[in-house]
Amino acid sequence: MRLRRTLITFSVLTSVAISTSEAQVSLYPQVSAETNAMGGAGVSFVSDNALATIANPADIGLFSLQGTLSASYMPSIPKQLNALVLDAGIELSSLLKGIPEKLSLGVGYINPNYSYPVLQGENFSNNVETDVVHGLTIGLGVDYIVKLGLGYSMKWVTTKDGFPYYKSTYAPDFGAIVQLPVLDLISRSTNLPVRFGRFAAPFLNITFGYSMCNFADYAPYGDAILPREGNLGWNFEFGLTTDLDNYQWKWISFTWLRQVNSPLTSWGGQAYIYDTGLGDFEVINNIVAGRQTGNATIEKGWQIQLGQFVYLRGGSATGPEVTTYGTFGWGVRLNGFVKTLVIFRVLDRNSDFLRFMVDHFGLRFDYSRAQGEVVGNGNIGGIGFKGEPFESFTVIVR
């Protein structure tokens, strides 16, 4: 769970909920045990973990370029959430003749279920107990010189309070991701391969991502405003690959990420109102220099990948609603482990079963945890998330 988002959502919605006896429609925090470990900076992070679709719907566009099926599940965390995401992608250029480069279509289903914590024997946010989200994500992917992903999530949020009583609202998300393969572009323009010796080819990808969340205007009874927000981020990934026995093996890589989040709501004097524009971003201060300004929250992180098998991650986040906190985590992938053993001839590279495992099947596990205690202000002072583990399991079929 992205801890900073939890507190922002609580701040906006409970300030309204406390003033009325009606239950309020609210929204879940964005979820990914993978990007949680990197300070929550997920808007520009490209991943085959299906949960990445929640952070930015455009991820399913790039994901679909692989023609892949993916399912990710985050088990229930006490008093917090669970999530299930299913993604499917198909490469349209293989079906439609005359398309010179890759064009793909992705479709996904998202279902995060959020439960408010209990504070001093009472449900938090007045009587609201749970948020159940069902959504359909549609995305397009294009691989022509650069990679482009576009995505739109149609999601419906149902809130159950203690009566029981239900309220629902429609709150879609949209996003875009652009990835530039820098060294590959240089190699194409010069017709010279960039290599370090026989077995090492360097790569450098620069990725930009933007998403706008919950941009519908309607909230039931007009007594609660949706926690609309914008996210803008970028990342650099560089490393070394090699080609052996028809396998491309990314044997080491380092990724650095930075992201700025800006709530698109503000207090209008008598009620909360939606802000115009794409967000209160200061590109130089927030994105380039990483300085926190105004109501913006800065999230940053890093990832080290070894042999497409072991992933080590860390990060931090700081903003006006929360004390600066750190994150860490790790992940493992089964097909990366098998590929490593095949490449180093520990396993028989001629085995049809092993080739299927490497080429068509993947199983991964991701873990993250916050370091230190995250504390909000106002009505939510003292709520901490220290040491809570977040885990996710992903199955991939290509």
Side-chain angles (χ1 to χ4, degrees), residues 34-300:
E34 185 177 37
T35 54
N36 285 346
M38 297 180 284
V43 70
S44 65
F45 189 71
V46 180
S47 176
D48 53 9
N49 183 334
L51 291 169
T53 305
I54 300 178
N56 189 345
D59 191 79
I60 199 173
L62 296 188
F63 164 86
S64 63
L65 288 169
Q66 306 174 44
T68 304
L69 299 175
S70 179
S72 296
Y73 176 67
M74 175 175 281
S76 295
I77 302 169
K79 304 176 184 178
Q80 298 300 324
L81 58 87
N82 62 72
L84 172 67
V85 179
L86 306 173
D87 287 346
I90 183 172
E91 187 183 334
L92 298 178
S93 51
S94 63
L95 302 177
L96 304 175
K97 304 300 182 182
I99 299 178
E101 299 294 338
K102 282 188 176 182
L103 176 67
S104 60
L105 172 68
V107 179
Y109 168 75
I110 59 174
N111 177 219
N113 302 305
Y114 180 76
S115 298
Y116 287 93
V118 175
L119 182 64
Q120 295 179 350
E122 296 183 359
N123 288 323
F124 194 73
S125 187
N126 214 8
N127 290 313
V128 176
E129 288 182 350
T130 60
D131 293 326
V132 178
V133 179
H134 297 277
L136 178 66
T137 301
I138 299 176
L140 287 176
V142 179
D143 186 358
Y144 181 69
I145 303 177
V146 301
K147 292 182 179 180
L148 170 65
L150 300 173
Y152 183 91
S153 287
M154 301 171 284
K155 70 178 194 291
W156 290 263
V157 185
T158 300
T159 296
K160 174 178 180 264
D161 67 16
F163 294 125
Y165 183 71
Y166 295 88
K167 286 186 177 181
S168 296
T169 194
Y170 176 65
D173 306 337
F174 73 85
I177 295 178
V178 178
Q179 186 175 78
L180 288 73
V182 177
L183 294 185
D184 184 51
L185 293 176
I186 294 175
S187 178
R188 289 188 185 186
S189 63
T190 61
N191 292 320
L192 294 174
V194 181
R195 301 192 64 87
F196 293 153
R198 180 182 176 186
F199 297 107
F203 69 91
L204 170 63
N205 297 324
I206 301 178
T207 307
F208 300 88
Y210 178 80
S211 70
M212 181 181 283
C213 306
N214 314 318
F215 65 91
D217 293 325
Y218 171 75
Y221 298 98
D223 57 3
I225 194 167
L226 297 174
R228 185 188 297 179
E229 63 182 26
N231 300 277
L232 176 66
W234 65 346
N235 76 67
F236 297 85
E237 181 191 16
F238 60 93
L240 297 172
T241 65
T242 189
D243 293 312
L244 290 173
D245 295 332
N246 297 320
Y247 291 124
Q248 185 180 67
W249 188 47
K250 185 188 295 185
W251 55 277
I252 188 170
S253 68
F254 178 81
T255 304
W256 173 89
L257 309 91
R258 180 176 288 159
Q259 174 177 317
V260 57
N261 165 270
S262 177
L264 301 180
T265 60
S266 62
W267 180 250
Q270 297 181 338
Y272 284 100
I273 60 174
Y274 293 115
D275 296 334
T276 58
L278 298 178
D280 186 21
F281 303 130
E282 296 183 16
V283 175
I284 300 299
N285 276 326
N286 301 150
I287 296 296
V288 178
R291 291 192 290 263
Q292 191 274 326
T293 60
N295 64 359
T297 296
I298 306 299
E299 301 159 326
K300 55 186 178 181

